Amino acid sequence: MRLQSAIAAVATFIILVAAITITVFSQNQPPEKPSFETPLEKKTSEKTSEKGDSPENIPLPEGSYKHPDRFSPRPSKSISKDEVERLKLALHKASYFKPLENGSVQCLLCPRHCFIKDGDRGACRVRANYGGTLYALTYGKPVALNNDPIEKKPLNHFLPGTKSLSVATIGCNFGCVFCQNWHISQEYPENGNHLDLIAYVSELLPDKKDLTQLLPSEIVQLAKLLNADSISYTYTEPSVFFEYMLDTAKEARKAGLKNVWVTCGYLEEKPLHELCKYLDAANVDLKGFSEEFYSRYCGSTLAPVLKTLMILKEEKVWFEITNLVIPQANDSDEMIRKMCVWIRENLGTDVPLHFSRFIPHYKLQDRPETPFATLQRAAKIAKEEGIKYVYIGNVWTKGVEDTLCPNCGKTIVKREFMNVLENNIKDGKCKFCNAPIPGVWSK
Ligand code: SF4
């Protein structure tokens, strides 16, 4: 009976989690002027006033989307401490900030370096200053939790065929106009569904009393219950729930689970080095390969992302790169080739590169999804530049997810729709010709 109840509870959990995945929806927020000013924006406004070339006047390529507020993510706005408490959000002291005069602080977690006045929030909307102390509002407040195949991250060279309990809170330090998870990444934490989600998952945690937060140790407990081999911090930008991610990663390590960071790569060097101590793998979105693209479509900058990739390499964290190929935005031969050359010269040819199909989302609705031929063209360029493991994702075409041995050309991992059908890697080597295949292949 006990076994039957346990099976029933697990089945209920899986159904519930599937049903509640990401259920918050964007509210119509009145356009407000951000109450923060980041050095990035400051620099931009200084630059534009000097040169008289307002960002809105920079000529766009023909047919391209014009992002109305492309130099920042969705505007932040104040939230009182009382409101934070009433909504059962967190007042968890943040790491990486510097108190300034007049009760202001500067957040040093990501390269935005927001200056935040007392009572205001940073650009990611989830870090607020009360009385000269910065607080992480989403610590312990997940809004999405799924037991995904690791191939969905995507990671093709990291424990293939395993499950990864994937967690997200609200918030992001980017403002990508094409975001596919915009309804949680660009949302305000006060509009999130964390209480519903915690209530659902608590059914699997019989001793759980506090239904206002999901502790790091409880995420680990859930991962164990669901037979996950890793925990992924993903869907939104996990860097903005840094403290929650780090504490969970520490607990996961103790329990023998791996940690996976799925990220835009916009994190300062110091916190990144700290995080790397507990990371086993990462997938970094390299969204395009020009500062102009990052500015126009993501409200951000490219250079820190490249720095992150270099640090992951230096720290010997296994990582793969995803490039979402968007028509008329980052799909030129020139940009793709430039990116591949940079990868080859700075990271090496063993880093797997995933070209992913764009599907219209959020504010970028003015163009069709990426044609398959464009993705094939991108993959061809990457191979010409020597990248050994090139994948096409977010399409339902057989063969594009397979890993081929660069030495003998045989299929060493066969995948279909993110499922592993065949794995011919033995002890990190091709079963057919014994060539070593880079990646993490055993637990
Ligand atoms: S983490 Fe958030 S508050 Fe901190 S600098 Fe980045 S965007 Fe600003």
Side-chain angles (χ1 to χ4, degrees), residues 81-82 102 187-188 198 232 288 424 441:
K81 208 171 176 181
D82 287 349
N102 309 324
E187 189 47 275
Y188 295 80
I198 294 165
S232 289
N424 293 310
W441 306 108

Side-chain angles (χ1 to χ4, degrees), residues 41-42 55 91 99 102 186 203 212 238 252 275 309 333 370 419-420:
E41 284 148 358
K42 209 172 164 194
L91 284 168
N102 309 324
Q186 297 301 311
E203 291 191 17
T212 67
L275 180 65
L309 287 164
D333 283 10
T370 318
N419 286 314
V420 174

Side-chain angles (χ1 to χ4, degrees), residues 107-110 112-114 116 122-124 127 173 240:
C107 179
L108 303 173
L109 183 61
C110 92
R112 284 193 172 275
H113 286 187
C114 296
I116 310 169
C124 55
R127 304 174 79 79
N173 46 0
V240 306

